[in-house]
């Protein structure tokens, strides 16, 4: 069964895509928690960070660099942004496909939960 993110990658479900390359896709969250809320996902299916394997090391680094690129493009790199990767139901994971939230555009509180 395909996750909603696999369907977005396949263009079976529309999304407001802000970045794409051969390994990653970034799109606006449909329920934004900040003025800028972008999800960065790998095109390779990895259910969550805890399921990543040693061979995913370069892809994981690529996702972080993509998150920074998206933050620059969205104009929040200088003022600050937060990246979040929920892992498991207690952390708020709702889609079983690794994704990084890029949040910015306002002051973000700490602690975040």
């Amino acid at each position: 069964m395909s996750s909603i993110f696999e369907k977005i990658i396949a263009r079976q479900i529309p999304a407001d895509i802000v970045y794409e390359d051969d390994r990653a896709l970034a799109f606006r969250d449909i329920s934004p928690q900040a003025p800028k809320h972008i999800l960065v996902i790998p095109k390779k299916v990895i259910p969550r960070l805890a399921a990543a394997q040693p061979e995913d090391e370069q892809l994981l680094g690529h996702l972080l660099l993509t998150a920074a690129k998206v933050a620059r493009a969205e104009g929040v790199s200088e003022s600050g942004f937060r990246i979040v990767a929920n892992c498991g139901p207690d952390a708020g994971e709702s889609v079983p496909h690794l994704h990084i939230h890029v949040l910015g555009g306002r002051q973000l509180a700490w602690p975040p939960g």
Side-chain angles (χ1 to χ4, degrees):
M1 180 181 193
S2 297
S3 76
I4 189 170
F5 292 168
E6 289 174 82
K7 291 177 181 177
I8 290 172
I9 292 166
R11 303 303 199 273
Q12 296 170 343
I13 295 175
D16 186 358
I17 296 170
V18 298
Y19 178 84
E20 182 175 15
D21 63 29
D22 62 326
R23 296 183 284 174
L25 185 73
F27 53 93
R28 297 189 193 285
D29 194 294
I30 61 169
S31 182
Q33 302 300 304
K36 303 292 181 175
H37 188 168
I38 311 294
L39 300 179
V40 177
I41 65 171
K43 290 184 174 179
K44 175 184 177 182
V45 177
I46 301 172
R48 63 195 48 81
L49 186 58
Q53 299 298 308
E55 61 266 19
D56 297 319
E57 182 176 0
Q58 287 186 346
L59 178 57
L60 297 176
H62 181 72
L63 294 175
L64 290 175
L65 291 173
T66 300
K69 184 183 292 188
V70 166
R72 281 191 299 277
E74 292 291 317
V76 296
S77 184
E78 293 297 318
S79 60
F81 63 98
R82 179 173 294 160
I83 58 171
V84 176
N86 299 323
C87 188
D90 283 353
E93 177 189 296
S94 59
V95 177
H97 187 123
L98 175 63
H99 53 287
I100 297 173
H101 299 258
V102 179
L103 300 141
R106 67 168 171 84
Q107 182 74 41
L108 299 170
W110 193 263

